[in-house]
Amino acid sequence: MIFLPLLTERTVITTSPSKMDVTVGESIVLPCAVSKDPSIEAVFSWSFNGDIIDFKRRLTHFERVGGESVGDLMIRNIQLNHSGKYTCTVQTAMDTLSETAEIIVRGTPGPPRDVSIEHISSTTAVLSWRAGADNNSPVQIYTIQTRTPFSVGWQAVSTVPEVINGRTHTATVIDLNPWVEYEFRVVAGNSIGIGEPSTPSELLRTKASIPTMAPANVSGGGGSRSELVITWESVPEELQNGEGFGYIIMFRPLGSTSWTKAIVASVEASKYVYRNESITPLYPFEVKVGVFNQEGVGTLSPIYIVYSGEDEPQRAPTGTSAQSFSASEMEVSWNPVAWNRHTGRVLGYEVLYWTEDSKDSTTGKVRVNGNITTKNITNLRANTMYFATVRAYNTAGTGPSSVPVNVTTRKSPPSQRPANIAWKLTNSKICLNWEHVKTMENESEVLGYKIFYRQNRQSTIHILETNNTSAELLVPFEEDYLIEIRTISDGGEGSSSEEIRIPTTSSESPHPLNIIAVVP
C-alpha cells in the first residue's frame, strides 16, 4: 500500500503575468509566483507562442529568475519578434497550473517601400510610395529627403503638403534646382520615433530652365593702360539651370547712356578684360554681369563701379638721399611724387639698392605703401658702399627710377669685450672700473660704454651710458645685482662683457676692490 503525504495547503498561482505594451529595447519581467504546501516541489516552465523556452541554452534575451515559489521570466532588450503570448506553467506532483499573457512590442516604423517619381519638372517632383511595417505603432508622419552630386549626404526638402501625415502616400517636392540630378527617399515616424529610410528612388534630372542666379562679388580694376578688367564669382554648376551656360558682361563709361555688351561662353569664367586704346586711364565704368544658357538670358547683377587700368607712374622721385646709421643699416629718403590721372597714380614707392661688386643690378628691393618717403634698410655689410634708387609704383607697374645715390656703411662695432672689470660696493653705491677697449683697423672707434644692470629677481633692465671707463651706480641694495658692460661705436653696439653678479652679502661692510671677468 502507498501512502501519499497529507497536504495541508492547495497549490495556487498567486502572481501571474499580465498583458503588457512595451517598446523595443526595454527590459521587462513577467511575474509568476505560487502559494503551495512546503512539502512538495514546484517546477516552473515558460513557453512563447506555444514553444517551450529552453533556459539551458545560452539565450540572449530570456532568463529565468526567482526561487522555490517564484519563476519569473526576464526579457532583456526586447525586440519586435518577441511580441506574442507567454505562458507560465507550474507543475507539482499533484497538479499542473498555467497562466498566459500577451506582450505587444512596439517599435519605430519599417522603411517605406516602392518609392517612385511620378512626374518631374524644373523645380518640382511628385513622389509616391507604399507604407512599410508600422511595428505595432501607427505611422504619424512621413519625411522626404533628397541627395544630389553637390550635396553632403541626404537633406530634408520642402513638400506640398508641408506636413505629410501617416495616411498620405504621395507628395510634391518643391524648390528644386533645374537641371540637377536628384534621388529621393522617404522616412516614416510614429510615437516611438523615426524609422529606417526607404531604398532611394531612381536618379532623375530636373528639367532645364533660364538661370536665375546672378554672379556675386562683381568687381575688377587694375590691369594695364587701355584695359578694363571685370571680375566676378562664377556661378556653381548646380545653379546654372541648363546646358550652354555662360556670362553676359555689360559696361559703359560713367555718364554714358549706351552699353557695350560682351559674351563669355565659359562656365568656369570669372574674369573679362576689355582692351581699347581710347580708354582713359583710371576712369570709372558702370558694370553689370548676367548669365544665360540654352533656355534664355537670365538675371543681371546690380550695377557696380569699376575703374579702368592705369598708366605706370610717369615721374621719378626727386631729392633722394641715403644715410648710414651703423655697420648694418642705412636710411633712404626722397620727396613725394605729385600725380594726377594723366601722370599715373602713386600707390607707394620701391627702393632698390646694390653694391659695386653686385653681380645683379639690385642686391635688394623693398616697398613702402602710401605717402611714406623714408625706408630703413637693415642686414647690410659693414664698411661697404651701397647705391640706392627709388621709383613709384601702382597697379600697372613701376615708374622711372630716381638718380642713384650712394653711402658707405660704418665699420663693424668693436669685437673685443670690456675686460678687467673691477667693482666695489659701499652702502647703496656700486663703483665700477674696466679697461678701455682697443679696436682693430677695420672696426669703429669706441665712443663710450653702456652699462646694463638689474636686480637678480627682476626683469626690468636699467641702462647707464658713459664716455669713461668707470661709473657709479646708486641703487637700493635689496638683493643681488647683475651687470653687463657693452661698447658704443658708430658701427653699433659691441659685444657684452661677461655677466657680473654683485651679492648682497658684500653690503654689510665696505669691501676691497673686486676684479671680475678678466678677459685676455
Side-chain angles (χ1 to χ4, degrees), residues 26-56:
E26 293 182 349
S27 294
I28 63 171
V29 173
L30 300 181
C32 189
V34 297
S35 173
K36 66 178 181 61
D37 190 288
S39 63
I40 65 172
E41 180 184 2
V43 177
F44 292 86
S45 63
W46 284 87
S47 62
F48 171 46
N49 289 336
D51 296 325
I52 296 295
I53 300 174
D54 184 2
F55 293 104
K56 294 180 180 179

PDB file of all heavy atoms in Angstrom, residues 26-56:
ATOM      1  N   GLU A  26      13.504  47.834 -24.406  1.00  0.00           N
ATOM      2  CA  GLU A  26      13.273  47.789 -22.965  1.00  0.00           C
ATOM      3  C   GLU A  26      13.559  46.380 -22.425  1.00  0.00           C
ATOM      4  O   GLU A  26      13.623  45.407 -23.179  1.00  0.00           O
ATOM      5  CB  GLU A  26      11.834  48.179 -22.646  1.00  0.00           C
ATOM      6  CG  GLU A  26      11.502  49.630 -22.939  1.00  0.00           C
ATOM      7  CD  GLU A  26      10.066  49.975 -22.568  1.00  0.00           C
ATOM      8  OE1 GLU A  26       9.267  49.053 -22.280  1.00  0.00           O
ATOM      9  OE2 GLU A  26       9.733  51.162 -22.565  1.00  0.00           O
ATOM     10  N   SER A  27      13.705  46.317 -21.113  1.00  0.00           N
ATOM     11  CA  SER A  27      13.831  45.024 -20.430  1.00  0.00           C
ATOM     12  C   SER A  27      12.660  44.907 -19.458  1.00  0.00           C
ATOM     13  O   SER A  27      12.349  45.863 -18.730  1.00  0.00           O
ATOM     14  CB  SER A  27      15.158  44.918 -19.684  1.00  0.00           C
ATOM     15  OG  SER A  27      16.238  44.919 -20.604  1.00  0.00           O
ATOM     16  N   ILE A  28      11.992  43.738 -19.461  1.00  0.00           N
ATOM     17  CA  ILE A  28      10.802  43.548 -18.619  1.00  0.00           C
ATOM     18  C   ILE A  28      10.917  42.245 -17.844  1.00  0.00           C
ATOM     19  O   ILE A  28      11.727  41.367 -18.177  1.00  0.00           O
ATOM     20  CB  ILE A  28       9.514  43.543 -19.463  1.00  0.00           C
ATOM     21  CG1 ILE A  28       9.520  42.367 -20.451  1.00  0.00           C
ATOM     22  CG2 ILE A  28       9.345  44.867 -20.201  1.00  0.00           C
ATOM     23  CD1 ILE A  28       8.193  42.171 -21.160  1.00  0.00           C
ATOM     24  N   VAL A  29      10.063  42.133 -16.817  1.00  0.00           N
ATOM     25  CA  VAL A  29       9.962  40.887 -16.039  1.00  0.00           C
ATOM     26  C   VAL A  29       8.498  40.460 -16.047  1.00  0.00           C
ATOM     27  O   VAL A  29       7.605  41.240 -15.677  1.00  0.00           O
ATOM     28  CB  VAL A  29      10.460  41.076 -14.602  1.00  0.00           C
ATOM     29  CG1 VAL A  29      10.181  39.812 -13.779  1.00  0.00           C
ATOM     30  CG2 VAL A  29      11.938  41.413 -14.585  1.00  0.00           C
ATOM     31  N   LEU A  30       8.226  39.217 -16.486  1.00  0.00           N
ATOM     32  CA  LEU A  30       6.889  38.625 -16.414  1.00  0.00           C
ATOM     33  C   LEU A  30       6.832  37.810 -15.128  1.00  0.00           C
ATOM     34  O   LEU A  30       7.547  36.814 -14.967  1.00  0.00           O
ATOM     35  CB  LEU A  30       6.626  37.733 -17.617  1.00  0.00           C
ATOM     36  CG  LEU A  30       6.693  38.419 -18.996  1.00  0.00           C
ATOM     37  CD1 LEU A  30       6.378  37.405 -20.094  1.00  0.00           C
ATOM     38  CD2 LEU A  30       5.715  39.571 -19.064  1.00  0.00           C
ATOM     39  N   PRO A  31       5.963  38.217 -14.172  1.00  0.00           N
ATOM     40  CA  PRO A  31       5.951  37.528 -12.870  1.00  0.00           C
ATOM     41  C   PRO A  31       5.159  36.219 -12.925  1.00  0.00           C
ATOM     42  O   PRO A  31       4.204  36.072 -13.690  1.00  0.00           O
ATOM     43  CB  PRO A  31       5.268  38.544 -11.958  1.00  0.00           C
ATOM     44  CG  PRO A  31       4.355  39.312 -12.868  1.00  0.00           C
ATOM     45  CD  PRO A  31       5.050  39.369 -14.208  1.00  0.00           C
ATOM     46  N   CYS A  32       5.589  35.299 -12.106  1.00  0.00           N
ATOM     47  CA  CYS A  32       4.866  34.032 -11.941  1.00  0.00           C
ATOM     48  C   CYS A  32       5.280  33.436 -10.586  1.00  0.00           C
ATOM     49  O   CYS A  32       6.407  32.955 -10.427  1.00  0.00           O
ATOM     50  CB  CYS A  32       5.171  33.061 -13.070  1.00  0.00           C
ATOM     51  SG  CYS A  32       4.110  31.596 -13.070  1.00  0.00           S
ATOM     52  N   ALA A  33       4.353  33.516  -9.611  1.00  0.00           N
ATOM     53  CA  ALA A  33       4.649  33.024  -8.260  1.00  0.00           C
ATOM     54  C   ALA A  33       3.473  32.176  -7.768  1.00  0.00           C
ATOM     55  O   ALA A  33       2.321  32.391  -8.158  1.00  0.00           O
ATOM     56  CB  ALA A  33       4.911  34.186  -7.314  1.00  0.00           C
ATOM     57  N   VAL A  34       3.765  31.189  -6.890  1.00  0.00           N
ATOM     58  CA  VAL A  34       2.726  30.289  -6.382  1.00  0.00           C
ATOM     59  C   VAL A  34       2.735  30.270  -4.862  1.00  0.00           C
ATOM     60  O   VAL A  34       3.737  30.593  -4.211  1.00  0.00           O
ATOM     61  CB  VAL A  34       2.926  28.859  -6.918  1.00  0.00           C
ATOM     62  CG1 VAL A  34       2.796  28.824  -8.416  1.00  0.00           C
ATOM     63  CG2 VAL A  34       4.258  28.263  -6.463  1.00  0.00           C
ATOM     64  N   SER A  35       1.587  29.854  -4.348  1.00  0.00           N
ATOM     65  CA  SER A  35       1.472  29.519  -2.926  1.00  0.00           C
ATOM     66  C   SER A  35       1.212  28.017  -2.871  1.00  0.00           C
ATOM     67  O   SER A  35       0.270  27.514  -3.511  1.00  0.00           O
ATOM     68  CB  SER A  35       0.303  30.285  -2.282  1.00  0.00           C
ATOM     69  OG  SER A  35       0.095  29.850  -0.961  1.00  0.00           O
ATOM     70  N   LYS A  36       2.038  27.270  -2.118  1.00  0.00           N
ATOM     71  CA  LYS A  36       1.938  25.811  -2.135  1.00  0.00           C
ATOM     72  C   LYS A  36       2.293  25.238  -0.783  1.00  0.00           C
ATOM     73  O   LYS A  36       2.817  25.941   0.099  1.00  0.00           O
ATOM     74  CB  LYS A  36       2.886  25.242  -3.205  1.00  0.00           C
ATOM     75  CG  LYS A  36       4.351  25.465  -2.901  1.00  0.00           C
ATOM     76  CD  LYS A  36       5.232  24.857  -3.943  1.00  0.00           C
ATOM     77  CE  LYS A  36       6.719  25.057  -3.613  1.00  0.00           C
ATOM     78  NZ  LYS A  36       7.094  24.425  -2.350  1.00  0.00           N
ATOM     79  N   ASP A  37       2.031  23.959  -0.669  1.00  0.00           N
ATOM     80  CA  ASP A  37       2.417  23.251   0.543  1.00  0.00           C
ATOM     81  C   ASP A  37       3.934  23.124   0.555  1.00  0.00           C
ATOM     82  O   ASP A  37       4.537  22.745  -0.447  1.00  0.00           O
ATOM     83  CB  ASP A  37       1.766  21.849   0.561  1.00  0.00           C
ATOM     84  CG  ASP A  37       1.944  21.185   1.916  1.00  0.00           C
ATOM     85  OD1 ASP A  37       3.087  20.792   2.214  1.00  0.00           O
ATOM     86  OD2 ASP A  37       0.952  21.083   2.635  1.00  0.00           O
ATOM     87  N   PRO A  38       4.559  23.455   1.669  1.00  0.00           N
ATOM     88  CA  PRO A  38       6.031  23.389   1.729  1.00  0.00           C
ATOM     89  C   PRO A  38       6.615  22.012   1.473  1.00  0.00           C
ATOM     90  O   PRO A  38       7.784  21.882   1.131  1.00  0.00           O
ATOM     91  CB  PRO A  38       6.356  23.858   3.143  1.00  0.00           C
ATOM     92  CG  PRO A  38       5.134  24.606   3.601  1.00  0.00           C
ATOM     93  CD  PRO A  38       3.968  23.955   2.921  1.00  0.00           C
ATOM     94  N   SER A  39       5.789  21.006   1.589  1.00  0.00           N
ATOM     95  CA  SER A  39       6.339  19.651   1.470  1.00  0.00           C
ATOM     96  C   SER A  39       6.459  19.177   0.036  1.00  0.00           C
ATOM     97  O   SER A  39       7.032  18.109  -0.214  1.00  0.00           O
ATOM     98  CB  SER A  39       5.468  18.663   2.275  1.00  0.00           C
ATOM     99  OG  SER A  39       4.147  18.614   1.716  1.00  0.00           O
ATOM    100  N   ILE A  40       5.913  19.920  -0.906  1.00  0.00           N
ATOM    101  CA  ILE A  40       6.014  19.486  -2.302  1.00  0.00           C
ATOM    102  C   ILE A  40       6.828  20.489  -3.113  1.00  0.00           C
ATOM    103  O   ILE A  40       6.940  21.662  -2.748  1.00  0.00           O
ATOM    104  CB  ILE A  40       4.614  19.303  -2.931  1.00  0.00           C
ATOM    105  CG1 ILE A  40       3.880  20.640  -3.007  1.00  0.00           C
ATOM    106  CG2 ILE A  40       3.801  18.254  -2.187  1.00  0.00           C
ATOM    107  CD1 ILE A  40       2.595  20.554  -3.789  1.00  0.00           C
ATOM    108  N   GLU A  41       7.369  19.996  -4.213  1.00  0.00           N
ATOM    109  CA  GLU A  41       8.234  20.809  -5.069  1.00  0.00           C
ATOM    110  C   GLU A  41       7.437  21.301  -6.279  1.00  0.00           C
ATOM    111  O   GLU A  41       6.619  20.564  -6.833  1.00  0.00           O
ATOM    112  CB  GLU A  41       9.427  19.992  -5.553  1.00  0.00           C
ATOM    113  CG  GLU A  41      10.372  20.782  -6.456  1.00  0.00           C
ATOM    114  CD  GLU A  41      11.513  19.927  -7.003  1.00  0.00           C
ATOM    115  OE1 GLU A  41      11.533  18.685  -6.697  1.00  0.00           O
ATOM    116  OE2 GLU A  41      12.343  20.468  -7.736  1.00  0.00           O
ATOM    117  N   ALA A  42       7.667  22.561  -6.647  1.00  0.00           N
ATOM    118  CA  ALA A  42       7.017  23.142  -7.832  1.00  0.00           C
ATOM    119  C   ALA A  42       8.076  23.395  -8.911  1.00  0.00           C
ATOM    120  O   ALA A  42       9.155  23.923  -8.635  1.00  0.00           O
ATOM    121  CB  ALA A  42       6.311  24.431  -7.476  1.00  0.00           C
ATOM    122  N   VAL A  43       7.760  22.966 -10.135  1.00  0.00           N
ATOM    123  CA  VAL A  43       8.672  23.173 -11.273  1.00  0.00           C
ATOM    124  C   VAL A  43       8.031  24.181 -12.224  1.00  0.00           C
ATOM    125  O   VAL A  43       6.898  23.988 -12.681  1.00  0.00           O
ATOM    126  CB  VAL A  43       8.959  21.853 -12.003  1.00  0.00           C
ATOM    127  CG1 VAL A  43       9.851  22.118 -13.219  1.00  0.00           C
ATOM    128  CG2 VAL A  43       9.587  20.842 -11.064  1.00  0.00           C
ATOM    129  N   PHE A  44       8.782  25.290 -12.511  1.00  0.00           N
ATOM    130  CA  PHE A  44       8.281  26.343 -13.399  1.00  0.00           C
ATOM    131  C   PHE A  44       8.836  26.155 -14.810  1.00  0.00           C
ATOM    132  O   PHE A  44      10.009  25.801 -14.999  1.00  0.00           O
ATOM    133  CB  PHE A  44       8.717  27.727 -12.905  1.00  0.00           C
ATOM    134  CG  PHE A  44       8.071  28.142 -11.617  1.00  0.00           C
ATOM    135  CD1 PHE A  44       8.626  27.771 -10.386  1.00  0.00           C
ATOM    136  CD2 PHE A  44       6.920  28.908 -11.620  1.00  0.00           C
ATOM    137  CE1 PHE A  44       8.041  28.174  -9.201  1.00  0.00           C
ATOM    138  CE2 PHE A  44       6.329  29.306 -10.433  1.00  0.00           C
ATOM    139  CZ  PHE A  44       6.892  28.933  -9.219  1.00  0.00           C
ATOM    140  N   SER A  45       8.018  26.409 -15.809  1.00  0.00           N
ATOM    141  CA  SER A  45       8.481  26.444 -17.199  1.00  0.00           C
ATOM    142  C   SER A  45       7.719  27.540 -17.941  1.00  0.00           C
ATOM    143  O   SER A  45       6.622  27.942 -17.530  1.00  0.00           O
ATOM    144  CB  SER A  45       8.266  25.084 -17.886  1.00  0.00           C
ATOM    145  OG  SER A  45       6.883  24.769 -17.956  1.00  0.00           O
ATOM    146  N   TRP A  46       8.341  28.044 -19.025  1.00  0.00           N
ATOM    147  CA  TRP A  46       7.727  29.107 -19.824  1.00  0.00           C
ATOM    148  C   TRP A  46       7.701  28.679 -21.288  1.00  0.00           C
ATOM    149  O   TRP A  46       8.622  28.004 -21.784  1.00  0.00           O
ATOM    150  CB  TRP A  46       8.526  30.420 -19.718  1.00  0.00           C
ATOM    151  CG  TRP A  46       8.326  31.151 -18.419  1.00  0.00           C
ATOM    152  CD1 TRP A  46       9.001  30.982 -17.259  1.00  0.00           C
ATOM    153  CD2 TRP A  46       7.368  32.183 -18.189  1.00  0.00           C
ATOM    154  NE1 TRP A  46       8.554  31.836 -16.291  1.00  0.00           N
ATOM    155  CE2 TRP A  46       7.535  32.601 -16.832  1.00  0.00           C
ATOM    156  CE3 TRP A  46       6.369  32.791 -18.953  1.00  0.00           C
ATOM    157  CZ2 TRP A  46       6.761  33.602 -16.254  1.00  0.00           C
ATOM    158  CZ3 TRP A  46       5.598  33.800 -18.377  1.00  0.00           C
ATOM    159  CH2 TRP A  46       5.780  34.183 -17.054  1.00  0.00           C
ATOM    160  N   SER A  47       6.651  29.103 -21.964  1.00  0.00           N
ATOM    161  CA  SER A  47       6.578  28.880 -23.406  1.00  0.00           C
ATOM    162  C   SER A  47       6.233  30.197 -24.094  1.00  0.00           C
ATOM    163  O   SER A  47       5.600  31.082 -23.492  1.00  0.00           O
ATOM    164  CB  SER A  47       5.530  27.817 -23.742  1.00  0.00           C
ATOM    165  OG  SER A  47       4.227  28.245 -23.340  1.00  0.00           O
ATOM    166  N   PHE A  48       6.724  30.343 -25.335  1.00  0.00           N
ATOM    167  CA  PHE A  48       6.470  31.543 -26.146  1.00  0.00           C
ATOM    168  C   PHE A  48       5.766  31.096 -27.415  1.00  0.00           C
ATOM    169  O   PHE A  48       6.330  30.329 -28.216  1.00  0.00           O
ATOM    170  CB  PHE A  48       7.798  32.239 -26.454  1.00  0.00           C
ATOM    171  CG  PHE A  48       7.702  33.358 -27.452  1.00  0.00           C
ATOM    172  CD1 PHE A  48       6.703  34.321 -27.359  1.00  0.00           C
ATOM    173  CD2 PHE A  48       8.620  33.463 -28.491  1.00  0.00           C
ATOM    174  CE1 PHE A  48       6.626  35.355 -28.279  1.00  0.00           C
ATOM    175  CE2 PHE A  48       8.542  34.490 -29.418  1.00  0.00           C
ATOM    176  CZ  PHE A  48       7.549  35.442 -29.315  1.00  0.00           C
ATOM    177  N   ASN A  49       4.507  31.576 -27.550  1.00  0.00           N
ATOM    178  CA  ASN A  49       3.672  31.195 -28.695  1.00  0.00           C
ATOM    179  C   ASN A  49       3.600  29.667 -28.853  1.00  0.00           C
ATOM    180  O   ASN A  49       3.677  29.130 -29.961  1.00  0.00           O
ATOM    181  CB  ASN A  49       4.170  31.835 -29.983  1.00  0.00           C
ATOM    182  CG  ASN A  49       3.916  33.331 -30.023  1.00  0.00           C
ATOM    183  OD1 ASN A  49       3.016  33.830 -29.337  1.00  0.00           O
ATOM    184  ND2 ASN A  49       4.697  34.053 -30.813  1.00  0.00           N
ATOM    185  N   GLY A  50       3.513  28.978 -27.698  1.00  0.00           N
ATOM    186  CA  GLY A  50       3.352  27.526 -27.698  1.00  0.00           C
ATOM    187  C   GLY A  50       4.640  26.743 -27.685  1.00  0.00           C
ATOM    188  O   GLY A  50       4.619  25.515 -27.490  1.00  0.00           O
ATOM    189  N   ASP A  51       5.780  27.378 -27.886  1.00  0.00           N
ATOM    190  CA  ASP A  51       7.073  26.684 -27.896  1.00  0.00           C
ATOM    191  C   ASP A  51       7.762  26.850 -26.556  1.00  0.00           C
ATOM    192  O   ASP A  51       7.895  27.983 -26.035  1.00  0.00           O
ATOM    193  CB  ASP A  51       7.967  27.231 -29.009  1.00  0.00           C
ATOM    194  CG  ASP A  51       7.383  26.975 -30.387  1.00  0.00           C
ATOM    195  OD1 ASP A  51       6.747  25.920 -30.571  1.00  0.00           O
ATOM    196  OD2 ASP A  51       7.558  27.854 -31.276  1.00  0.00           O
ATOM    197  N   ILE A  52       8.209  25.738 -25.976  1.00  0.00           N
ATOM    198  CA  ILE A  52       8.900  25.777 -24.692  1.00  0.00           C
ATOM    199  C   ILE A  52      10.215  26.543 -24.827  1.00  0.00           C
ATOM    200  O   ILE A  52      10.978  26.336 -25.784  1.00  0.00           O
ATOM    201  CB  ILE A  52       9.162  24.351 -24.165  1.00  0.00           C
ATOM    202  CG1 ILE A  52       7.843  23.634 -23.883  1.00  0.00           C
ATOM    203  CG2 ILE A  52      10.025  24.385 -22.904  1.00  0.00           C
ATOM    204  CD1 ILE A  52       7.024  24.246 -22.771  1.00  0.00           C
ATOM    205  N   ILE A  53      10.480  27.416 -23.850  1.00  0.00           N
ATOM    206  CA  ILE A  53      11.752  28.150 -23.817  1.00  0.00           C
ATOM    207  C   ILE A  53      12.766  27.288 -23.082  1.00  0.00           C
ATOM    208  O   ILE A  53      12.569  26.948 -21.902  1.00  0.00           O
ATOM    209  CB  ILE A  53      11.587  29.516 -23.125  1.00  0.00           C
ATOM    210  CG1 ILE A  53      10.571  30.373 -23.878  1.00  0.00           C
ATOM    211  CG2 ILE A  53      12.932  30.239 -23.044  1.00  0.00           C
ATOM    212  CD1 ILE A  53      10.240  31.685 -23.173  1.00  0.00           C
ATOM    213  N   ASP A  54      13.868  26.956 -23.761  1.00  0.00           N
ATOM    214  CA  ASP A  54      14.903  26.099 -23.170  1.00  0.00           C
ATOM    215  C   ASP A  54      15.948  26.990 -22.512  1.00  0.00           C
ATOM    216  O   ASP A  54      16.817  27.560 -23.166  1.00  0.00           O
ATOM    217  CB  ASP A  54      15.541  25.233 -24.255  1.00  0.00           C
ATOM    218  CG  ASP A  54      16.556  24.258 -23.693  1.00  0.00           C
ATOM    219  OD1 ASP A  54      16.738  24.234 -22.450  1.00  0.00           O
ATOM    220  OD2 ASP A  54      17.174  23.523 -24.484  1.00  0.00           O
ATOM    221  N   PHE A  55      15.878  27.127 -21.195  1.00  0.00           N
ATOM    222  CA  PHE A  55      16.795  28.017 -20.475  1.00  0.00           C
ATOM    223  C   PHE A  55      18.197  27.428 -20.368  1.00  0.00           C
ATOM    224  O   PHE A  55      19.128  28.124 -19.961  1.00  0.00           O
ATOM    225  CB  PHE A  55      16.251  28.323 -19.079  1.00  0.00           C
ATOM    226  CG  PHE A  55      14.980  29.139 -19.085  1.00  0.00           C
ATOM    227  CD1 PHE A  55      13.760  28.540 -18.839  1.00  0.00           C
ATOM    228  CD2 PHE A  55      15.022  30.504 -19.359  1.00  0.00           C
ATOM    229  CE1 PHE A  55      12.601  29.297 -18.849  1.00  0.00           C
ATOM    230  CE2 PHE A  55      13.865  31.259 -19.370  1.00  0.00           C
ATOM    231  CZ  PHE A  55      12.646  30.670 -19.121  1.00  0.00           C
ATOM    232  N   LYS A  56      18.361  26.136 -20.699  1.00  0.00           N
ATOM    233  CA  LYS A  56      19.692  25.534 -20.624  1.00  0.00           C
ATOM    234  C   LYS A  56      20.589  26.024 -21.758  1.00  0.00           C
ATOM    235  O   LYS A  56      21.809  25.942 -21.666  1.00  0.00           O
ATOM    236  CB  LYS A  56      19.570  24.004 -20.675  1.00  0.00           C
ATOM    237  CG  LYS A  56      18.876  23.426 -19.459  1.00  0.00           C
ATOM    238  CD  LYS A  56      18.775  21.911 -19.555  1.00  0.00           C
ATOM    239  CE  LYS A  56      18.065  21.331 -18.334  1.00  0.00           C
ATOM    240  NZ  LYS A  56      17.943  19.848 -18.423  1.00  0.00           N
TER     241      LYS A  56
END
